[in-house]
Amino acid sequence: MGVRLCDESGNLRRFVNIYVNEEDIRFRQGKETILSDGDEISIVPAIAGG
Amino acid sequence: MSRKSAVSDILKQKIKGLKCRECGKLYPPVALHVCEFCFGPLEVDYNYDEIRRHISRERIENGPKSLWRYADLLPVEGPPTVGLYAGFTPLIEAKNLGAELGLKKLYIKNDTVNHPTLSFKDRVVAIAITRAMELGFTAVACASTGNLANSVAAHAAEARLRCYVFIPGDLEAGKILGSLIYAPTIVAVEGNYDDVNRLCSEVAGEYDWAFVNINIRPYYAEGSKTLAFETAEQLGWKAPDHVVVPVASGSLLTKIWKGFNELKMLGLIDRVDMRVSGAQAEGCAPVASAFKEGRDFIRPVKPKTIAKSIAIGNPADGYYALKAVHESKGAFETATDEETVEGIKLLARTEGIFAETAGGVTIAVLKKLAQKGIISKEETVVAYVTGNGLKTQEAVINAVDEVVRIDPSLDSF
Ligand SMILES: Cc1ncc(COP(=O)(O)O)c(C=O)c1O
Ligand SMILES: [Zn+2]
């Protein structure tokens, strides 16, 4: 899973969105976001407009 | 025009498959949108050698008066099954607006009158649903800021497909009614478009539906190229010097840029010396702010704007839209809510065109670019006005004069 989500330098790939309890981690602490027990995580590819 | 004769001889071999835009991995041309290896978006991979052998200006000019005249460059295998009349909207020489803005050769591409639901989404949906039917789907769906929902619902009715549309809970009345009338299942989600999107990408994994902007996205997005094709043809097979395009997910802008370049690659126009500028609402400008701050990544925002149709805080194609603007040496500008309303009124007052909020943003940004000298006087400029004002009446209802009420007598006049 790691290689799919992150590039060679360990950064999250451009088109991956990660949500913790339905909040984009970029509105929290990004990769450093601290998880607690029971947190629900979803990994969602970017989708087009509407 | 009968269904079968709409496009006489569509190339069978024009689609090779799908290709990851990031890592180049190849996939068959099915309902798939993300690279399973790197999460990059998939794009249609055309057999340009084959297309080049057939395509010509004459062949296009002899085609139907709809976007299907460009079928050679659209990702469907057979003749269209829905949306036969989409596209081929007027390119209007905007002399009055041009005079006010000090632009000598200004044109408006008027997609407020697209058939059947009065926005550019009728283009992408004509392609998406035709392709979805080729792939055997019997149900279609979308996540939408309003216009896409209207178009998917209308085309699903025409094609007799089951239809599910997901919208944010706070859309304008006209946008909601404009979907409800076609009797799809409408789900209003408590949240913004980005919440709707996230939910839908999870729903899409569970149901065997053609989500036009999720699993059908590679085909859907190609429909926006027809705005470039038509503009070039309507200008006498030339690219303009500058185009101004509204940006939400960034797909439209990216594909307009691709469309002009495709015409050049195939020798249908001589050159593309064109700058592409993007228009966003100030209250939702993740791509414009990346441009202004010189970032190459998009930081998502929480939208707060009256321009709800373009209120996408986490734009999937933002990165590519940014890249297209850089490549073409264009710019980004934003419009406040007040400027958006003024933009709508300005276009209506000068050209007699009633645009929705996205059009207001585009006109406001056009004005700023002209004032700043980023667009110069002599340039041939095309502004893309992509949706109809009757759908977003709330935006201007308090910004127009009242009617003069009188008794039916000459005395009272
Ligand atoms: C009227 C209108 N214009 C422009 C856009 C922007 O398109 P995109 O999401 O492809 O950037 C949309 C919808 O998203 C729209 O409804
Ligand atoms: Zn890939």
Side-chain angles (χ1 to χ4, degrees):
Chain A
M1 200 66 186
V3 282
R4 296 185 59 208
L5 297 181
C6 297
D7 63 18
E8 300 74 26
S9 29
N11 293 315
L12 203 55
R13 287 187 193 274
R14 207 184 312 274
F15 299 96
V16 179
N17 299 302
I18 298 189
Y19 299 84
V20 175
N21 300 331
E22 292 164 19
E23 177 88 334
D24 192 313
I25 59 167
R26 287 169 295 182
F27 289 119
R28 298 179 66 169
Q29 283 77 47
K31 274 200 303 179
E32 315 304 324
T33 304
I34 293 166
L35 298 178
S36 329
D37 261 6
D39 275 352
E40 203 169 295
I41 299 167
S42 39
I43 301 169
V44 174
I47 78 169
Chain B
M1 185 166 54
S2 86
R3 267 164 197 275
K4 292 286 179 236
S5 72
V7 175
S8 48
D9 53 343
I10 293 196
L11 302 176
K12 272 267 186 286
Q13 300 305 321
K14 65 187 166 184
I15 311 174
K16 286 200 264 185
L18 299 175
K19 187 175 183 178
C20 174
R21 223 183 137 162
E22 292 294 298
C23 76
K25 193 169 162 38
L26 299 171
Y27 296 87
V30 296
L32 206 63
H33 69 300
V34 184
C35 176
E36 62 183 28
F37 179 69
C38 79
F39 278 87
L42 303 184
E43 264 212 313
V44 177
D45 188 19
Y46 291 96
N47 193 343
Y48 285 116
D49 292 337
E50 185 67 25
I51 292 170
R52 190 178 282 110
R53 266 200 286 282
H54 292 83
I55 206 165
S56 67
R57 290 181 183 177
E58 295 66 41
R59 180 174 154 93
I60 293 168
E61 286 161 358
N62 290 329
K65 289 201 170 12
S66 71
L67 55 72
W68 295 105
R69 66 207 275 111
Y70 310 103
D72 292 346
L73 290 166
L74 296 172
V76 295
E77 283 164 88
T81 42
V82 284
L84 264 64
Y85 304 97
F88 218 67
T89 55
L91 182 73
I92 290 160
E93 188 170 3
K95 289 222 171 81
N96 302 333
L97 179 59
E100 283 216 18
L101 302 182
L103 299 173
K104 287 196 173 156
K105 283 177 270 173
L106 172 64
Y107 295 83
I108 300 293
K109 182 62 173 161
N110 185 9
D111 259 23
T112 69
V113 291
N114 221 333
H115 180 83
T117 66
L118 311 177
S119 87
F120 91 98
K121 296 294 182 185
D122 289 330
R123 298 174 182 275
V124 283
V125 171
I127 312 299
I129 299 192
T130 294
R131 183 65 185 148
M133 291 171 78
E134 287 180 349
L135 294 172
F137 285 96
T138 55
V140 292
C142 68
S144 175
T145 55
N147 284 314
L148 182 61
N150 294 173
S151 190
V152 169
H155 287 87
E158 184 197 347
R160 303 192 156 268
L161 300 168
R162 279 180 295 126
C163 180
Y164 304 89
V165 306
F166 296 77
I167 53 174
D170 68 344
L171 285 191
E172 300 92 343
K175 292 267 169 74
I176 298 173
L177 183 64
S179 290
L180 276 174
I181 197 69
Y182 308 107
T185 300
I186 304 194
V187 183
V189 178
E190 290 304 330
N192 61 35
Y193 179 73
D194 300 293
D195 298 316
V196 178
N197 244 355
R198 183 184 46 74
L199 170 68
C200 283
S201 57
E202 296 182 70
V203 173
E206 301 284 317
Y207 294 85
D208 190 25
W209 299 342
F211 258 97
V212 301
N213 51 344
I214 306 180
N215 53 349
I216 303 296
R217 169 184 176 191
Y219 311 99
Y220 155 95
E222 286 286 289
S224 291
K225 292 190 307 190
T226 60
L227 275 166
F229 300 159
E230 288 175 17
T231 303
E233 186 180 346
Q234 288 167 319
L235 288 173
W237 296 106
K238 273 206 269 303
D241 301 317
H242 206 132
V243 297
V244 182
V245 185
V247 171
S249 72
S251 173
L252 171 65
L253 183 146
T254 307
K255 294 293 181 173
I256 286 178
W257 178 233
K258 177 180 177 184
F260 283 110
N261 285 296
E262 236 173 20
L263 293 182
K264 177 175 163 238
M265 189 235 307
L266 294 166
L268 295 166
I269 56 176
D270 294 334
R271 59 194 129 78
V272 182
D273 283 332
M274 180 180 86
R275 289 183 293 157
V276 182
S277 290
Q280 291 209 291
E282 190 176 282
C284 182
V287 196
S289 50
F291 179 84
K292 289 186 180 174
E293 292 161 22
R295 278 187 272 118
D296 74 343
F297 62 94
I298 310 290
R299 196 173 291 133
V301 300
K302 307 249 171 173
K304 195 172 182 316
T305 166
I306 57 165
K308 295 178 185 180
S309 57
I310 51 170
I312 298 184
N314 183 14
D317 288 305
Y319 169 72
Y320 295 125
L322 189 61
K323 210 166 136 201
V325 168
H326 277 302
E327 262 172 39
S328 71
K329 304 191 169 55
F332 264 99
E333 267 305 333
T334 58
T336 64
D337 285 354
E338 295 73 43
E339 290 166 340
T340 300
V341 171
E342 286 311 309
I344 296 174
K345 290 172 69 178
L346 176 62
L347 181 63
R349 176 166 63 72
T350 54
E351 298 298 335
I353 297 170
F354 185 14
E356 69 139 87
T357 46
V361 169
T362 304
I363 297 303
V365 163
L366 170 73
K367 184 174 169 183
K368 280 191 189 174
L369 293 171
Q371 280 169 349
K372 290 187 174 179
I374 295 173
I375 298 179
S376 61
K377 219 187 182 126
E378 311 290 333
E379 284 186 310
T380 299
V381 187
V382 176
Y384 287 92
V385 173
T386 49
N388 195 296
L390 291 170
K391 297 193 197 185
T392 61
Q393 296 181 29
E394 292 87 337
V396 289
I397 200 131
N398 294 317
V400 289
D401 288 343
E402 301 224 344
V403 295
V404 181
R405 284 198 180 279
I406 60 166
D407 290 325
S409 74
L410 203 49
D411 276 355
S412 121
F413 181 62

